[in-house]
Amino acid sequence: MRVALFITCVNDTLFPDTGKAVVTLLRRLGCEVEFPTAQTCCGQMHVNTGYRDEGVRLARHFLDVFGGYDAVVAPSGSCAAMVREQYPKLAAGMGATRAGAFASVHQGRSPFAQEVAEVTPKVYDLSEFLVDVLGVTDVGAYFPHRVTYHPTCHSLRGLKVGDRPVTLLRNVRGLELVPLPAADECCGFGGTFAVKNAGVSAAMCADKVANVMTTGAEVLCAADNSCLMHIGGTLSRQRAGVRVMHLAEILARTEAAR
Amino acid sequence: MSSRDLILARIRSAVAGAPQTDVEEARGYRTSPAPGEESGRVELFAERVRDYRAIVHVVPEEEVADTVARALSGRNAGRLVIPDGLPEEWLGAVPATLERLRDDPPLAAADLDAADGVITGCAAGIAETGTIVLSAGPGQGRRALTLVPDYHLCVVRADQVVPGVPEAISRLDPVRPLTWISGPSATSDIELNRVEGVHGPRTLEVVIAISGPR
Amino acid sequence: MSGSGTFLGMPSFPENAEKALQDSQLRFNLRKATHTIRGKRAAVVEELPDWQELRAAGKAIKDDALRNLDRYLLQAEEAITKAGGHVHWASDAAEANEIVTGLIRATGETRVMKVKSMATQEIGLNEALEREGITAYETDLAELIVQLGDDWPSHILVPAIHRNRSEIREIFTEHMAEWGRPAPEGLSDDPRTLADAARLHLRERFLSTKVGVSGANFLIAETGTLVVLESEGNGRMCLTLPETLISVVGIEKVLPTWRDLEVFLQLLPRSSTGERMNPYTSMWTGATEGQEFHLVLLDNGRTKVLADEIGRQALRCIRCSACLNVCPVYERVGGHAYGSVYPGPIGAILTPQLRGMASELDASLPYASSLCGACYDVCPVAIDIPEVLVHLRSKAPHAPAERLGLTAAGWVLDKPVRLERAQRLATRFRGLVPKRRLPGPGAAWTATRDVPAVPEESFRDWWQRTEEGGGR
């Protein structure tokens, strides 16, 4: 199986350790991982901020880069959701029939739409790839810490990853998983929302942080570094003494590598 | 161009070329009770009406008159609005002193307001939602009769209770004025606290009549 | 004060939100109310094993109604006319107000009673009537609180959600006398007592007012039947007792067939008040029980929304307000910040479509969301609100500085080599990135959050160094 790592622009630039952890983990599970260096960005920031044309340009580039692989793995629920959930909508918006809101299924017949239909079903969030494609729920990890998990909106409601990440964490040796109250509520990141509506974003994060604190966890885990950058940045500002870690980084730890 | 023509023209140009939707294909919801659900229909209805904090009695048909009489005396209801066509036997045990207000000629709103209550039958009961439907038919009267008095006593025959909303819709005549009643009037406008009894009857009492021995 | 004109010149959403965020009383009220109703809704939706099927049917029925709206409106008009009612068509707010004013004038009355209606708030009917010397009395408890308090509604279902019991007690004590029967002496702030005070205040009005004005939740094309769902009985009073009834109804309220109600009478109460069924639902067709009946069909921008292939799904909305109650943004800022009678997520997609995005406020509404998707999940007619928000953002005007930034970012991300150079630049100057105080738009980030440290090397550099023996 040819597995391509879609690192995402944010991880590539700011959180390379997450990418390294994915590589370590997938290799440990017997995958051959490729990193197509021509990749840049899925276009989410542009599309979601209202720069549709720029976003579509980046989407076309994404499809070119990742076209030939059996599976594309992204350590970001949000970017995976952008590709799998939003690309088809973008395609429908540009399609010749312009089915729009009256049709139950978006129809698009443009070459872009065809490429979207071909490539995007093979794009997975890390937990989906591990559980659904590799069929693994125990990745042999060891992480002796008290951890709480924030499911992040786009993993939960976009990709509908369900309890896959939690199942993976439950099988990590030494890890004590504490449920996060009101876990399904948004942390307030929302891309440019965090800057455009900084006040509301901060208010939402205040509640998220309060919930994290009630768990007594040492580590807040999520499968999206954007949300973690927001919550972690707030935790750090408050000197809360809780650190944030991407799911991949926990799953990559083993007793041998401790 | 009239506004009518203008709006219609705007609509036609807005939807031109849009695909049609197959509605019948999308009706995958329940329209009749699952096997086994049917048996507890009346019990469910009683439970769901009680959930709205209405007073509910489930009695054999022959005990309706006594139940009605006890309910009225318990409230000291001396002046009762009685719609045309109400089964006389339901009032078989009320004291002779009860003042019966007939709606013929139509009672003024002030007369209704001065009454102690109203007794009616109904057109249907819905078990799943605990709803009573009035259709202004015989024994129900026009809509104001069950609205202005502060107390509504309603007799529901068990065979009028249907399992769910779809069964009720298929049984009702849309041309008649319909009033669906689920418990006494209520508001949750103050801090989401439910308060029963605002402008409609503050008390709803329901007598469910079972035919044959219980 | 609830009309559309009120909101003219309001600042942008973030500015309004900033004020609301600091109002601890408002935050407390909203948190309590939205969480309560959220829980109730979840419990009664859980009860129905076929909820998703009902939702799919609701969506399909509404789509069909909108696709063939011309035909269904004509069908409804014919049925209502046959049943002795009169149908009027209003292309915009001014025309609707004119029609209603004329109809009231013809009765010789100067007082009308109203049952809560979003459409009449949207067109500013009360203000228009006031200018013509006609007083409109709101009769829904929450609308009464809003009217007496000279305030704006802040929620679709619970318009006075921003007021707590002691504020309501104060409003009743101070203002009931100006509108009719004064509040009883020594009124307490117990909800039961307050509801009783409202009952007394409005009783005489219900029994004596000769003209009623309403909206409607549904209009059945096949039969011409109008449907109003409510709880308090004020709706039944306004619909039943007056000699003349005038209903102002948006053209998108049409359902094709009588049978369609079996879907919507399950979807709406459970989504809205979180009850299996609301206390009262009234259905009538044409002139009923000797009453004179007028239906005013309202366009007021709806056909413009209908023409937008992505945005038109907003017209499926049945005004249940489930999206408000789950929205993390609404929960923290309340309804007033949206500057429209339609607040919350649905307002953020409906208002800019109905009013356009020329004002700063309306252009900021599509951004009043973190795109978390909770609204879409609970919507009983499956309006993909995040999809429409993103679509509207692509049509909204952009600030020059933002456009410059996003264009630059797009340029960098277009070519991997540019991204690589930018990353190396960032790495080289990583020591200079302040953790707690970014300049420019970054300041909005660092106001409450620290900045992550820029790593010594990007992932792609690491990959190329370790996997490919450096460089390309």
Side-chain angles (χ1 to χ4, degrees):
Chain A
M1 186 189 290
R2 286 188 70 209
V3 181
L5 171 62
F6 169 45
I7 181 70
T8 82
C9 62
V10 168
N11 287 327
D12 184 5
T13 308
L14 290 173
F15 306 102
D17 287 349
T18 296
K20 294 175 200 170
V22 175
V23 173
T24 305
L25 176 64
L26 293 183
R27 282 186 180 156
R28 194 168 80 218
L29 296 171
C31 292
E32 206 175 294
V33 186
E34 293 183 36
F35 177 75
T37 51
Q39 65 180 279
T40 58
C41 167
C42 64
Q44 178 174 210
M45 177 176 72
H46 284 91
V47 170
N48 284 357
T49 311
Y51 297 79
R52 200 170 163 282
D53 295 346
E54 289 85 343
V56 168
R57 215 165 60 217
L58 293 168
R60 286 185 197 282
H61 181 70
F62 178 96
L63 295 169
D64 286 347
V65 172
F66 290 100
Y69 292 93
D70 300 316
V72 179
V73 182
S76 161
S78 192
C79 302
M82 170 68 191
V83 174
R84 223 169 64 201
E85 306 298 315
Q86 270 181 274
Y87 279 14
K89 290 177 191 174
L90 285 176
M94 307 184 318
T97 60
R98 315 248 337 182
F102 286 136
S104 52
V105 183
H106 290 286
Q107 319 165 342
R109 295 284 173 270
S110 62
F112 177 71
Q114 277 170 20
E115 234 182 309
V116 164
E118 230 165 82
V119 178
T120 60
K122 296 178 199 158
V123 177
Y124 302 93
D125 163 66
L126 177 65
S127 68
E128 293 176 315
F129 181 74
L130 294 174
V131 175
D132 300 347
V133 182
L134 298 184
V136 187
T137 52
D138 183 345
V139 298
Y142 173 73
F143 191 72
H145 300 279
R146 189 176 165 101
V147 175
T148 193
Y149 181 76
H150 169 56
T152 76
C153 302
H154 292 171
S155 302
L156 193 69
R157 287 179 281 267
L159 296 175
K160 302 195 168 28
V161 302
D163 58 3
R164 290 179 184 85
V166 170
T167 306
L168 289 162
L169 285 172
R170 283 216 183 92
N171 288 320
V172 173
R173 264 163 291 288
L175 188 146
E176 185 193 352
L177 187 65
V178 206
L180 177 65
D184 59 354
E185 277 183 34
C186 180
C187 70
F189 174 65
T192 43
F193 174 79
V195 175
K196 277 177 170 282
N197 277 284
V200 188
S201 170
M204 286 161 70
C205 199
D207 290 343
K208 182 58 72 184
V209 163
N211 282 320
V212 170
M213 297 314 289
T214 63
T215 65
E218 175 190 346
V219 176
L220 169 70
C221 173
D224 217 310
N225 276 327
S226 303
C227 310
L228 284 181
M229 178 170 74
H230 170 64
I231 310 171
T234 306
L235 286 164
S236 164
R237 174 65 56 89
Q238 296 179 3
R239 317 295 196 272
V242 178
R243 72 181 185 281
V244 297
M245 275 179 88
H246 192 283
L247 178 68
E249 294 176 44
I250 291 180
L251 297 181
R253 300 280 181 99
T254 58
E255 207 151 355
R258 138 166 85 119
Chain B
M1 195 189 247
S2 70
S3 290
R4 182 176 181 271
D5 293 342
L6 176 67
I7 294 169
L8 290 169
R10 284 172 179 171
I11 292 169
R12 286 170 189 144
S13 109
V15 301
Q20 294 286 353
T21 306
D22 187 342
V23 174
E24 292 321 307
E25 196 188 0
R27 291 194 199 269
Y29 51 89
R30 299 171 303 158
T31 49
S32 55
E37 265 177 30
E38 180 65 14
S39 58
R41 182 172 44 88
V42 173
E43 291 74 11
L44 181 65
F45 176 67
E47 177 198 314
R48 294 279 154 99
V49 177
R50 269 191 203 107
D51 274 357
Y52 297 120
R53 293 184 218 166
I55 305 163
V56 179
H57 312 271
V58 184
V59 299
E61 216 162 23
E62 54 276 13
E63 284 176 30
V64 169
D66 285 340
T67 312
V68 165
R70 265 199 311 275
L72 293 175
S73 77
R75 287 187 59 87
N76 285 323
R79 296 163 50 86
L80 194 68
V81 178
I82 297 172
D84 286 348
L86 189 88
E88 194 50 46
E89 60 267 27
W90 290 351
L91 297 171
V94 298
T97 51
L98 180 80
E99 192 181 333
R100 300 174 179 217
L101 303 174
R102 296 281 175 185
D103 193 35
D104 182 24
L107 295 160
D111 297 333
L112 292 172
D113 196 32
D116 292 326
V118 58
I119 178 169
T120 69
C122 70
I126 304 172
E128 190 167 62
T129 60
T131 302
I132 292 163
V133 185
L134 305 181
S135 64
Q140 300 166 45
R142 63 192 167 96
R143 296 171 296 171
L145 302 196
T146 51
L147 171 63
V148 181
D150 201 17
Y151 170 68
H152 180 192
L153 178 59
C154 184
V155 181
V156 182
R157 292 194 326 266
D159 63 10
Q160 292 182 306
V161 178
V162 298
V165 174
E167 293 89 342
I169 287 288
S170 69
R171 186 182 266 227
L172 294 165
D173 177 3
V175 174
R176 304 195 65 85
L178 298 174
T179 306
W180 293 40
I181 297 174
S182 307
S185 70
T187 183
S188 298
D189 280 347
I190 302 167
E191 297 182 9
L192 268 298
N193 286 294
R194 187 177 164 96
V195 174
E196 277 88 17
V198 198
H199 305 299
R202 284 184 283 192
T203 308
L204 173 68
E205 190 156 1
V206 180
V207 179
I208 304 169
I210 314 271
S211 55
R214 282 193 82 180
Chain C
M1 266 190 55
S2 53
S4 49
T6 316
F7 301 111
L8 280 178
M10 259 180 90
S12 69
F13 180 83
E15 274 180 73
N16 299 332
E18 203 53 51
K19 258 182 255 146
L21 287 170
Q22 303 293 348
D23 184 341
S24 54
Q25 177 75 68
L26 176 74
R27 296 283 301 273
F28 175 85
N29 294 355
L30 284 168
R31 187 162 49 230
K32 184 176 170 210
T34 54
H35 282 257
T36 304
I37 201 159
R38 210 185 281 182
K40 284 176 70 184
R41 177 205 162 271
V44 293
V45 164
E46 183 79 9
E47 263 182 27
L48 292 188
D50 56 345
W51 183 257
Q52 289 309 330
E53 286 79 12
L54 285 166
R55 188 173 180 245
K59 172 181 189 276
I61 292 166
K62 276 287 188 181
D63 278 349
D64 175 48
L66 293 169
R67 174 62 184 83
N68 304 292
L69 193 56
D70 54 337
R71 186 153 59 78
Y72 291 132
L73 287 171
L74 290 173
Q75 203 184 352
E77 179 187 48
E78 195 187 331
I80 290 168
T81 310
K82 219 173 100 190
H86 306 274
V87 178
H88 312 262
W89 300 68
S91 62
D92 58 19
E95 190 178 8
N97 289 333
E98 209 173 288
I99 292 169
V100 177
T101 308
L103 291 170
I104 297 169
R105 280 255 173 80
T107 67
E109 296 292 317
T110 54
R111 293 168 169 222
V112 299
M113 55 181 179
K114 282 186 68 199
V115 50
K116 179 175 161 4
S117 139
M118 306 293 304
T120 58
Q121 281 174 15
E122 175 191 320
I123 61 177
L125 177 65
N126 291 10
E127 296 77 1
L129 293 179
E130 197 185 334
R131 286 192 293 273
E132 301 295 324
I134 298 165
T135 311
Y137 294 92
E138 293 291 349
T139 61
D140 172 79
L141 177 51
E143 290 293 352
L144 177 70
I145 295 165
V146 167
Q147 186 172 49
L148 294 178
D150 197 16
D151 196 359
W152 307 335
S154 67
H155 189 280
I156 288 175
L157 176 74
V158 205
I161 200 169
H162 56 292
R163 298 289 198 185
N164 67 8
R165 59 181 78 190
S166 64
E167 293 174 299
I168 295 167
R169 189 194 77 90
E170 217 165 284
I171 290 168
F172 279 12
T173 308
E174 282 177 23
H175 300 292
M176 265 189 175
E178 299 158 23
W179 290 81
R181 182 178 175 139
E185 285 290 319
L187 186 68
S188 85
D189 66 1
D190 166 50
R192 156 94 270 161
T193 311
L194 292 170
D196 282 343
R199 179 185 167 94
L200 278 175
H201 177 75
L202 288 173
R203 197 75 185 172
E204 185 49 37
R205 177 138 301 126
F206 284 138
L207 301 184
S208 64
T209 306
K210 300 215 164 40
V211 181
V213 174
S214 84
N217 294 96
F218 306 107
L219 163 59
I220 312 297
E222 181 184 34
T223 58
T225 308
L226 281 132
V227 184
V228 168
L229 283 74
E230 50 129 359
S231 297
E232 296 169 8
N234 65 307
R236 291 178 69 191
M237 293 279 182
C238 292
L239 300 171
T240 312
L241 297 182
E243 291 164 8
T244 303
L245 173 62
I246 304 164
S247 300
V248 181
V249 178
I251 52 174
E252 84 285 16
K253 296 283 170 189
V254 169
L255 297 181
T257 69
W258 168 249
R259 190 189 166 189
D260 296 333
L261 275 181
E262 72 188 20
V263 174
F264 290 92
L265 289 182
Q266 297 192 71
L267 289 175
L268 182 51
R270 289 177 199 256
S271 298
S272 180
T273 51
E275 294 168 299
R276 296 187 183 108
M277 194 63 85
N278 50 294
Y280 295 138
T281 298
S282 296
M283 306 178 186
W284 74 97
T285 303
T288 307
E289 293 176 347
Q291 199 176 46
E292 182 169 322
F293 174 62
H294 296 273
L295 171 67
V296 181
L297 290 169
L298 177 71
D299 179 350
N300 202 33
R302 283 159 177 74
T303 47
K304 207 172 58 190
V305 183
L306 189 63
D308 186 310
E309 289 160 27
I310 309 266
R312 61 167 64 128
Q313 58 186 308
L315 295 178
R316 289 204 295 260
C317 176
I318 54 174
R319 312 282 189 262
C320 72
S321 69
C323 63
L324 278 64
N325 300 325
V326 296
C327 178
V329 177
Y330 177 86
E331 181 195 331
R332 285 164 184 85
V333 303
H336 292 163
Y338 294 83
S340 153
V341 297
Y342 303 112
I346 187 64
I349 62 170
L350 204 49
T351 306
Q353 294 198 82
L354 288 173
R355 295 205 298 227
M357 290 190 277
S359 79
E360 204 191 344
L361 170 66
D362 293 337
S364 70
L365 287 176
Y367 293 93
S369 165
S370 65
L371 303 178
C372 84
C375 49
Y376 178 34
D377 269 13
V378 297
C379 178
V381 286
I383 301 170
D384 191 341
I385 293 178
E387 180 188 21
V388 182
L389 285 167
V390 168
H391 169 66
L392 293 175
R393 288 175 186 188
S394 74
K395 296 166 81 175
H398 297 296
E402 180 196 282
R403 179 170 290 284
L404 191 70
L406 270 286
T407 306
W411 184 83
V412 169
L413 293 166
D414 262 346
K415 298 269 184 287
V417 63
R418 290 179 197 155
L419 175 59
E420 187 179 280
R421 279 192 199 129
Q423 286 169 336
R424 286 185 185 153
L425 201 66
T427 300
R428 183 176 319 157
F429 295 105
R430 58 195 284 266
L432 300 179
V433 178
K435 188 176 180 180
R436 305 231 148 87
R437 220 190 210 160
L438 286 177
W445 178 272
T446 49
T448 56
R449 321 158 184 95
D450 287 348
V451 180
V454 178
E456 280 177 36
E457 142 183 89
S458 69
F459 178 83
R460 77 178 55 233
D461 275 352
W462 171 82
W463 179 273
Q464 284 168 145
R465 180 168 60 78
T466 58
E467 304 295 319
E468 295 170 5
R472 257 169 308 168

